[in-house]
């Protein structure tokens, strides 16, 4: 049997449906973001874990020039190594009929036994794996095969280690090593330009002259293994064979990208919900305060007939809990739905073979508890203030509000303000707390919008920095091996080349005391015009004659500041270790590679200048001819087309941003809607009598509405600059939360972004206020005047 | 012969709430002339407030016609009714209906700001004897003072019509007398046609004419041969 009080609570919820819905939606946003962020993250993590587990994704990875298989027992004997899987890895340029641009590929070997590799087993999606006895058979990375329409049975031609080979496709595979694939020298996955080929061990060995040897190794660790110890031991064993430094999963490109995406999702679930929950707490407080004010007499009556203070307080808290329930259920639903959609989107971007949408229970429980606490804390003060009144006091009408003279009066006289405007100003100063809630809500909206829109500004700056200021080449050639500078002359002879500059990239391990990081060191030639280093002011950084320049993030990880000495260990010939001072740090948007002036590096190496990358400025109309020439040049292992990368980069970012922008705009508008609508309704109910009196005195509907709408719009205007500050701070949080090893988002908010956020919030606030104005227009003057009598 | 400012022709007003129908007015025809002070006297529920609301265009009759000079209020648009109230009518209510957020002076200024040829707010307040309480908020004034602010607000626009709904209903006798004095002075000095409704029979003596309302109709009319000064009445 539902008690009479409970029935009242239920009817109150129904009667106040519009306000309940407005608060509930704001609350639902917080709940949704929490469920969405952590749910998507949990699902991706679960999918990835299952994939890693099933395909035995390795824990330690190492590469070397050529390691004899006789070393394997020694490696297996390293304490902590559970399983190991040697293989051969090289690169290829694929020649597809009718495709002018060169397509590069990773080549991976499959065990001669014909069985799956011990670790990093590819997952067959179509056809079959190559027969070890048929060296001309190849399995293709499925997204590449699909992008190029290569079906089992089709043939393709590839240049591997300088030899052209004709291969037959046997099947499509996916691999845990290639959840996120990126070609050499490029920045974005491009399934049409980069693929992976799996061929038999013997075929790979023959192509690379690796009989009885391997150049790539994957390890799985025993449960009690100490990974850094294994890495050091492995490095010692592989050093004589050209080891380039073993590393764990954190330096495995595909894993690192996916991991950084997961961290961003976690950040989203952490930053946003508190904003929505706080706003809804204030809203609940506002609405319940008003509701209770209107019900003073009823509260007095309930007390008079013998209800305890506790019972009455519980009644109103149940009302608050009802709002929490609505917000939670809506938020759960939206979070679940969007989480599944977002997980699907990620699955598309990251090549996972299957998707387990498995949000864990805790975000649901946590969000429900938070929603409940939010509304209860919002209601608590209002409830407490009313229920403690003695019944006789509660039953008599409240004393009229007392206004005092203050600064406003001086302002009013000085500016000769209209009396209706004075009413607005006095109402604001009389209830500053309530005005503050509206201002805070509006500011929160503006902040959310700015924090969402500024990502465009940051991306624009990034694109400008990366593609216009830092990299002015439109093509980068990746050479198969280091060459002397005469290679530049060869490059200049290629069709369409206007300018050619060399670069030398060396894999290194940087060390400071006990901290170390794997990275690559780029040697920049003097007077470089194409590839340049840019600081955070957009100016070109002049590399010092001697010493390293590191990105701030990397220097921070190593605990280095300018002037400190860094140990640089070259992981490719000449495989020496040097002590070099850190000359400067820069804010680097993309990547974590280190920089040095070319003459300085070659002095350290005691070698004549070399190049292993060539940056080109090319006549755009000659690209086809250049591509054709590159395809027939075995010395070129890969080609990066910056123009294409730029358009892909922008397209991908815009696609991802447009979705989140739509979501956050909606969230930001919901806050304004919830705050302003509730404030307007409350104001209307409190001042119906006053506003009706104005109508009696001969004020038109518009003039009377001004008292209501004007107050809210004034508060909205005050909220805007507060929101700018909040938005900037919020943007800084986003930059911190979303920057990873791969991308360091710059903190930049354009004026337009501030303006857009303001316009959206102003328009939303006006719409909310005007909806309430329609109620005002419908007020029956006689009834409103009677209400007080 | 005095010129009628306001007249009604056989007006009725029926309120419907759900299935219940209440006939508040049952065919009222009356006139109010320039400079005249009329007291509408009737028991509670007799329909006198409904009549006053219709006279002031706060409400419309269910049938019948209402004219303000040549303007037929019963056919006027919402905008015309607003202008009628703004330019020609002053209201005084039992519970004052002041804006709590505005001082006495500002409450009057509220009206003078939107009128064409108003008095200065200070002048209106002096006329009702409140020249020394200009900057007080309603909460800082006594009931009689609040009502006098309401009267000052009603007359500051120099209305042709002053409609008062139980203006002394919430006041004690002595305070009420001071309010009535203010109303009589305005009527005399400005020639404002004044309709005052009350259930207090003691007040009728101050009027030129008394209209008795009962059961939604005019029961009878009397013309006072001699008016009594408010000072001389008590209740």
């Amino acid at each position: 049997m539902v008690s009479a009080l409970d029935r009242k609570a239920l009817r109150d919820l129904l009667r106040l449906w519009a306000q309940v819905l407005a608060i509930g939606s704001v609350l639902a946003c917080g709940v949704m973001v929490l469920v969405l962020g952590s749910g998507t993250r949990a699902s991706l993590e679960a999918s990835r874990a299952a994939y890693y587990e099933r395909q035995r994704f390795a824990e330690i990875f190492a590469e070397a020039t050529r390691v004899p298989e006789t070393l394997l027992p020694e490696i297996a004997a390293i304490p902590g190594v559970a399983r190991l899987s040697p293989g051969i890895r090289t690169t290829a340029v694929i020649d597809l009929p009718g495709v002018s641009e060169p397509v590069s590929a990773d080549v991976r070997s499959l065990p001669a036994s014909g069985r799956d590799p011990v670790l990093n087993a590819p997952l067959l999606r179509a056809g079959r794996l190559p027969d070890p006895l048929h060296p001309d058979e190849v399995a293709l990375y499925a997204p590449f095969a699909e992008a190029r329409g290569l079906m089992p049975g089709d043939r393709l031609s590839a240049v591997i280690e300088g030899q052209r080979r004709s291969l037959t496709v046997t099947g499509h595979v996916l691999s845990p090593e290639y959840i996120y694939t990126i070609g050499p020298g490029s920045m974005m996955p491009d399934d049409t330009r980069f693929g992976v080929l799996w061929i038999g061990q013997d075929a790979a060995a023959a192509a690379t002259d690796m009989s009885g040897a391997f150049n790539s190794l994957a390890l799985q660790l025993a449960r009690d293994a100490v990974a850094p110890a294994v890495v050091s031991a492995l490095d010692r064993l592989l050093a004589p064979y050209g080891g380039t430094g073993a590393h764990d999963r954190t330096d495995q490109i595909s894993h690192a990208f996916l991991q950084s995406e997961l961290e961003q999702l976690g950040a989203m679930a952490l930053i946003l919900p508190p904003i929505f929950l706080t706003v809804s707490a204030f809203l609940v407080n506002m609405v319940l305060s008003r509701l209770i004010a209107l019900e003073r007499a009823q509260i007095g009556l309930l007390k008079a007939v013998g209800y305890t203070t506790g019972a009455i307080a519980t009644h109103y808290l149940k009302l608050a809990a009802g709002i929490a329930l609505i917000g939670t259920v809506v938020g759960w639903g939206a979070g679940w739905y969007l989480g599944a959609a977002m997980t699907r989107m990620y699955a598309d971007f990251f090549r996972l073979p299957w998707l387990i949408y498995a949000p864990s229970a805790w975000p649901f429980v946590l969000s429900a508890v938070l929603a409940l606490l939010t509304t209860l804390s919002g209601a608590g003060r209002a409830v407490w203030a009313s229920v403690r009144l003695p019944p006789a006091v509660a039953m008599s009408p409240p004393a009229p509000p007392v206004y005092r003279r203050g600064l406003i009066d001086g302002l009013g006289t000085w500016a000769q303000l209209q009396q209706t405007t004075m009413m607005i100003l006095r109402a604001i100063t009389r209830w500053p707390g309530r005005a503050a809630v509206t201002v805070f809500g509006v500011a929160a909206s503006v902040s959310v919008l700015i924090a969402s829109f500024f990502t465009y500004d940051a991306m624009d700056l990034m694109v400008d920095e990366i593609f216009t200021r830092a990299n002015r080449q439109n093509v980068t050639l990746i050479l198969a091996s280091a060459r002397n500078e005469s290679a530049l002359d060869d490059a200049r002879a290629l069709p369409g080349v206007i300018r050619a500059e060399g670069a030398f990239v060396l894999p290194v391990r940087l060390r400071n005391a006990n901290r170390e990081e794997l990275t690559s060191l780029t040697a920049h030639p003097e007077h470089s015009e194409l590839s340049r280093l840019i600081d955070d002011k957009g100016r070109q950084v002049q590399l010092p004659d001697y010493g390293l320049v590191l990105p701030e993030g990397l220097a921070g990880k190593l605990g280095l500041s300018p002037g400190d000495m860094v140990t640089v260990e070259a992981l490719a010939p000449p495989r020496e270790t040097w002590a070099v001072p850190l000359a400067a740090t820069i804010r680097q948007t993309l990547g974590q590679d280190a920089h040095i002036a070319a003459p300085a590096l070659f002095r350290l190496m005691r070698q004549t200048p070399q190049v292993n990358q060539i940056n080109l400025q090319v006549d755009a109309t000659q690209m086809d001819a250049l591509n054709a020439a590159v395809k027939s040049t075995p010395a070129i292992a890969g080609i990066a087309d910056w123009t294409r990368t730029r358009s892909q980069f922008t397209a991908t970012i815009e696609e991802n941003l447009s979705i989140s922008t739509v979501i956050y705009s909606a969230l930001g508008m919901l806050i304004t809607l919830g705050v302003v609508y509730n404030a307007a309704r409350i104001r209307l109910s409190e001042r119906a009598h006053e506003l009706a009196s104005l109508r009696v005195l001969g004020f038109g509907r518009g003039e009377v509405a001004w008292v209501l709408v004007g107050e809210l719009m004034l508060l909205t205007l005050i909220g805007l600059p507060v929101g700018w500050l909040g938005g900037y701070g919020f943007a800084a949080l986003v930059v911190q939360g979303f920057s990873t090893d791969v991308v360091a988002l710059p903190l930049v908010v354009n004026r337009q972004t501030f303006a857009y956020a303001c316009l959206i919030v102003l328009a939303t606030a006006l719409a909310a206020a005007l909806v309430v104005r329609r109620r005002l227009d419908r007020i029956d003057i006689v009834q409103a005047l009677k209400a007080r009598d | 012969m005095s010129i009628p400012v306001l007249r009604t022709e056989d007006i009725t007003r029926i309120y419907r709430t759900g299935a219940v129908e209440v006939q508040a007015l049952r065919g009222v025809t009356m006139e109010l002339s320039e400079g005249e002070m009329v007291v509408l006297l009737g028991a509670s529920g007799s329909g006198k407030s409904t009549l006053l609301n219709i006279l002031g265009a706060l409400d419309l009759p269910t049938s019948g016609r209402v004219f303000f000079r040549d303007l037929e209020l019963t056919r006027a648009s919402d905008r015309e009714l607003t202008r009628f109230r703004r330019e020609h009518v002053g209201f005084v209510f039992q519970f004052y209906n002041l804006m709590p957020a505005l001082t006495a002076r500002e409450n009057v200024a509220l009206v003078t700001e939107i009128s064409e040829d108003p008095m200065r707010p200070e002048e209106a307040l002096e006329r009702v004897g409140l020249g020394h309480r200009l900057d007080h908020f309603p909460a800082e004034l006594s009931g009689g003072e609040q009502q006098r602010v309401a009267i000052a607000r009603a007359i500051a626009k120099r209305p042709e019509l002053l409609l008062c709904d139980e203006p002394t209903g919430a006041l004690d006798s002595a305070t009420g007398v001071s309010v009535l004095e203010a109303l009589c002075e305005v009527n005399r000095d400005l020639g404002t046609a004044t309709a005052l409704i009350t259930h207090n029979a003691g007040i009728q003596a101050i009027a030129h004419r008394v209209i008795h309302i009962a059961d939604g109709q005019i029961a009878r009319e009397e013309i006072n041969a001699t008016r009594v000064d408010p000072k001389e009445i008590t209740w």
Side-chain angles (χ1 to χ4, degrees):
Chain A
M1 179 66 193
V2 184
S3 76
L5 266 189
D6 284 349
R7 250 176 306 186
K8 175 175 167 330
L10 207 60
R11 291 204 186 117
D12 284 340
L13 275 178
L14 292 175
R15 181 168 56 87
L16 300 170
W17 68 270
Q19 282 168 276
V20 167
L21 206 66
I23 304 169
S25 339
V26 175
L27 198 59
C29 289
V31 171
M32 183 198 85
V33 175
L34 209 147
V35 168
L36 168 71
S38 44
T40 310
R41 182 181 176 162
S43 304
L44 278 175
E45 259 171 358
S47 307
R48 183 181 71 172
Y51 190 24
Y52 280 3
E53 169 89 29
R54 185 170 150 184
Q55 303 310 120
R56 301 180 298 278
F57 186 54
E59 286 158 276
I60 303 289
F61 304 81
E63 286 184 18
T65 315
R66 188 177 196 283
V67 190
E69 281 170 357
T70 50
L71 195 70
L72 284 173
E74 258 186 274
I75 297 172
I78 296 174
V81 173
R83 291 199 275 189
L84 73 178
S85 178
I88 295 166
R89 179 176 189 168
T90 183
T91 56
V93 173
I94 300 173
D95 193 3
L96 295 169
V99 175
S100 69
E101 71 269 13
V103 175
S104 56
D106 255 7
V107 180
R108 311 300 300 260
S109 68
L110 290 166
S113 59
R115 283 203 289 268
D116 272 355
V118 178
L119 300 173
N120 301 333
L123 180 74
L124 198 60
R125 302 297 280 173
R128 60 172 175 82
L129 288 177
D131 183 338
L133 299 175
H134 288 94
D136 61 341
E137 287 188 348
V138 65
L140 295 181
Y141 179 55
F144 167 69
E146 282 153 19
R148 285 300 187 186
L150 292 164
M151 304 309 291
D154 288 354
R155 298 184 69 78
L156 63 94
S157 158
V159 178
I160 304 175
E161 298 282 326
Q163 295 169 15
R164 182 171 295 275
R165 302 174 58 121
S166 177
L167 300 166
T168 306
V169 179
T170 62
H172 296 172
V173 300
L174 287 174
S175 158
E177 283 183 280
Y178 296 96
I179 294 176
Y180 182 91
T181 50
I182 198 161
S186 71
M187 295 186 332
M188 300 292 297
D190 183 350
D191 290 327
T192 59
R193 298 282 188 111
F194 179 71
V196 188
L197 313 181
W198 277 266
I199 58 175
Q201 167 90 26
D202 292 343
T208 55
D209 193 17
M210 285 278 175
S211 302
F214 62 93
N215 64 0
S216 161
L217 181 68
L219 300 183
Q220 197 175 53
L221 298 177
R223 196 173 296 166
D224 55 353
V226 183
V230 176
V231 167
S232 311
L234 188 57
D235 279 344
R236 270 195 304 280
L237 283 178
L238 295 183
Y241 305 100
T244 53
H247 57 82
D248 60 11
R249 286 177 180 178
T250 51
D251 284 317
Q252 205 269 341
I253 291 179
S254 160
H255 179 90
F257 266 90
L258 186 49
Q259 187 62 32
S260 75
E261 200 64 36
L262 289 174
E263 278 160 20
Q264 290 183 0
L265 280 172
M268 177 174 93
L270 216 65
I271 298 174
L272 288 175
I275 295 188
F276 291 99
L277 296 178
T278 316
V279 172
S280 27
F282 282 122
L283 284 180
V284 172
N285 184 300
M286 254 165 66
V287 170
L288 273 191
S289 301
R290 179 58 196 156
L291 180 67
I292 290 168
L294 288 175
E295 301 215 336
R296 253 172 86 105
Q298 293 187 40
I299 292 173
L301 187 74
L302 286 172
K303 282 191 158 185
V305 300
Y307 277 94
T308 61
T309 302
I312 298 169
T314 310
H315 164 66
Y316 288 103
L317 291 178
K318 275 183 186 164
L319 195 64
I323 297 176
L325 184 71
I326 291 170
T328 305
V329 170
V330 173
W332 279 0
W336 180 280
Y337 175 79
L338 284 176
M342 200 150 151
T343 310
R344 276 197 300 277
M345 195 183 86
Y346 275 113
D348 218 33
F349 189 64
F350 293 109
R351 302 303 184 160
L352 290 161
W354 59 76
L355 200 71
I356 311 161
Y357 184 54
S360 50
W362 73 263
F364 289 88
V365 175
L366 179 68
S367 59
V369 170
L370 285 178
L372 191 64
L373 287 180
T374 299
T375 51
L376 290 187
S377 66
R381 209 177 60 91
V383 170
W384 174 241
S386 300
V387 295
R388 64 190 169 148
L389 291 177
V393 178
M395 276 194 288
S396 59
V402 176
Y403 290 88
R404 291 198 175 76
R405 302 188 65 76
L407 281 177
I408 293 296
D409 301 281
L411 176 72
T413 318
W414 174 76
Q416 301 200 328
L417 293 177
Q418 294 236 318
Q419 298 312 323
T420 39
T421 307
M422 286 302 288
M423 287 171 70
I424 293 176
L425 295 181
R426 288 235 174 82
I428 291 175
T429 47
R430 175 65 181 75
W431 286 282
R434 194 150 62 185
V437 172
T438 309
V439 169
F440 172 80
V442 167
S445 286
V446 174
S447 305
V448 169
L449 292 178
I450 288 178
S452 162
F453 294 165
F454 100 97
T455 44
Y456 282 102
D457 303 340
M459 290 300 169
D460 278 350
L461 184 72
M462 265 179 76
V463 168
D464 182 57
E465 261 180 35
I466 298 170
F467 295 103
T468 312
R469 292 168 190 272
N471 296 290
R472 304 202 284 192
Q473 69 273 32
N474 41 9
V475 167
T476 297
L477 302 177
I478 319 290
L479 305 187
S481 56
R483 306 267 308 274
N484 66 32
E485 281 188 326
S486 66
L488 290 177
D489 296 327
D490 298 339
R492 284 186 194 106
L494 288 169
V497 172
I498 299 165
R499 187 179 176 97
E501 284 176 7
F504 186 77
V505 180
L506 181 69
V508 292
R509 178 183 288 128
L510 301 182
R511 202 179 296 136
N512 175 36
N514 56 352
R515 305 192 205 186
E516 54 179 50
E517 290 290 327
L518 286 176
T519 185
S520 52
L521 176 62
T522 305
H524 297 262
E526 285 175 292
H527 315 300
S528 175
E529 286 291 317
L530 296 181
S531 176
R532 311 184 305 165
L533 270 191
I534 300 297
D535 68 11
D536 54 354
K537 301 276 186 301
R539 289 175 307 223
Q540 184 172 5
V541 175
Q542 288 303 330
L543 278 165
D545 289 344
Y546 186 61
L548 291 185
V549 172
L550 293 186
E552 276 166 6
L554 184 59
K557 275 194 198 169
L558 289 165
L560 290 168
S561 25
D564 295 348
M565 293 303 283
V566 196
T567 308
V568 180
E569 185 185 342
L571 298 175
R575 301 189 176 281
E576 293 175 346
T577 301
W578 310 295
V580 186
L582 173 62
T585 61
I586 53 168
R587 190 184 59 71
Q588 186 161 311
T589 323
L590 203 64
Q592 292 285 306
D593 37 335
H595 309 275
I596 190 168
L601 179 66
F602 295 118
R603 261 200 314 277
L604 285 169
M605 292 170 72
R606 298 181 310 283
Q607 282 182 356
T608 54
Q610 295 188 328
V611 295
N612 55 13
Q613 289 191 355
I614 298 174
N615 294 317
L616 301 179
Q617 192 183 342
V618 180
D619 176 356
T621 59
Q622 301 273 336
M623 277 304 288
D624 283 352
L626 176 72
N627 281 327
V630 166
K631 270 205 282 193
S632 59
T633 311
I636 300 171
I639 175 167
D641 181 342
W642 287 85
T643 317
R644 183 179 162 87
T645 305
R646 177 179 186 151
S647 61
Q648 274 185 324
F649 187 78
T650 351
T652 308
I653 282 169
E654 259 161 28
E655 191 186 315
N656 291 346
L657 281 188
S658 62
I659 295 170
S660 65
T661 308
V662 167
I663 294 179
Y664 290 126
S665 304
L667 296 187
M669 285 161 75
L670 264 180
I671 298 185
T672 304
L673 217 55
V675 170
V676 176
Y677 179 77
N678 272 304
R681 283 295 299 274
I682 288 168
R683 273 264 161 259
L684 178 61
S685 91
E686 280 174 351
R687 304 185 102 177
H689 186 267
E690 265 180 80
L691 299 177
S693 297
L694 286 176
R695 295 277 287 132
V696 169
L697 293 176
F699 283 82
R701 290 179 201 279
E703 290 163 315
V704 175
W706 160 246
V707 177
L708 183 78
V709 179
E711 177 183 336
L712 294 165
M713 293 316 287
L714 180 64
L715 291 176
T716 303
L717 284 176
I718 296 171
L720 297 180
V722 182
W724 293 344
L725 289 178
Y728 194 79
F730 198 16
L733 267 182
V734 171
V735 162
Q736 226 170 43
F738 282 51
S739 289
T740 60
D741 278 359
V742 184
V743 175
L745 217 54
L747 177 55
V748 47
V749 186
N750 290 346
R751 251 177 270 165
Q752 289 97 308
T753 299
F754 286 120
Y756 284 139
C758 288
L759 283 180
I760 290 177
V761 167
L762 271 177
T764 313
L766 192 63
L770 289 181
V771 168
V772 179
R773 191 209 144 151
R774 289 190 44 198
R775 278 178 171 271
L776 172 64
D777 286 348
R778 287 200 300 265
I779 273 192
D780 179 337
I781 302 175
V782 175
Q783 287 304 318
L785 290 181
K786 266 190 192 160
R788 188 188 271 183
D789 298 351
Chain B
M1 181 62 204
S2 55
I3 306 157
V5 181
L6 198 67
R7 66 195 156 86
T8 69
E9 288 176 4
D10 196 27
I11 52 172
T12 66
R13 181 68 171 95
I14 298 168
Y15 292 108
R16 287 189 185 84
T17 43
V20 188
E21 226 175 57
V22 180
Q23 186 143 20
L25 292 178
R26 303 164 185 268
V28 173
T29 302
M30 62 162 286
E31 278 183 7
L32 189 58
S33 302
E34 282 181 0
E36 190 181 25
M37 172 170 277
V38 172
V39 165
L40 300 162
L41 192 65
S44 162
S46 59
K48 54 189 192 311
S49 284
T50 305
L51 178 58
L52 194 84
N53 286 339
I54 289 174
L55 294 182
L58 297 181
D59 198 2
L60 288 173
T62 309
S63 69
R65 305 202 289 172
V66 181
F67 290 91
F68 170 73
R69 298 197 189 279
D70 294 332
L71 173 70
E72 186 182 342
L73 297 179
T74 33
R75 281 170 178 254
S77 67
D78 185 67
R79 191 178 290 269
E80 285 169 321
L81 291 180
T82 297
R83 211 171 69 210
F84 163 67
R85 287 197 298 266
R86 175 184 290 212
E87 292 174 3
H88 307 294
V89 193
F91 285 96
V92 178
F93 295 95
Q94 181 178 1
F95 292 104
Y96 333 129
N97 288 331
L98 299 177
M99 303 293 142
L102 299 179
T103 62
R105 189 208 312 257
E106 289 165 346
N107 260 288
V108 179
L110 188 64
V111 167
T112 58
E113 279 171 0
I114 59 168
S115 309
E116 271 186 14
D117 176 31
M119 302 174 198
R120 287 182 306 107
E122 295 79 3
E123 184 191 337
L125 284 163
E126 270 159 27
R127 202 172 264 284
V128 297
L130 282 179
H132 59 297
R133 309 281 275 172
L134 295 176
D135 292 326
H136 288 67
F137 285 102
E140 299 164 335
L141 298 170
S142 73
E145 286 172 326
Q146 288 190 53
Q147 190 59 298
R148 279 186 281 158
V149 174
I151 293 171
R153 185 177 66 182
I155 61 166
K157 69 173 92 160
R158 305 181 200 276
E160 289 167 76
L161 204 55
L162 191 58
L163 302 176
C164 312
D165 188 351
E166 298 276 9
T168 59
L171 304 172
D172 62 70
S173 171
T175 318
V177 165
S178 74
V179 167
L180 291 178
E181 277 183 316
L183 287 174
C184 285
E185 263 176 51
V186 168
N187 172 252
R188 185 180 62 231
D189 299 351
L190 305 177
T192 312
T194 307
L196 188 157
I197 65 174
T198 181
H199 64 272
N200 185 342
I203 292 175
Q204 61 182 309
I206 67 166
H208 294 114
R209 187 156 57 105
V210 183
I211 299 176
H212 293 264
I213 309 257
D215 203 17
Q217 289 170 311
I218 296 180
R220 62 196 158 89
E221 278 189 55
E222 296 165 3
I223 291 173
N224 283 333
T226 47
R227 289 173 71 199
V228 176
D229 191 278
K231 274 197 198 81
E232 293 165 31
I233 59 168
T234 55
W235 61 84

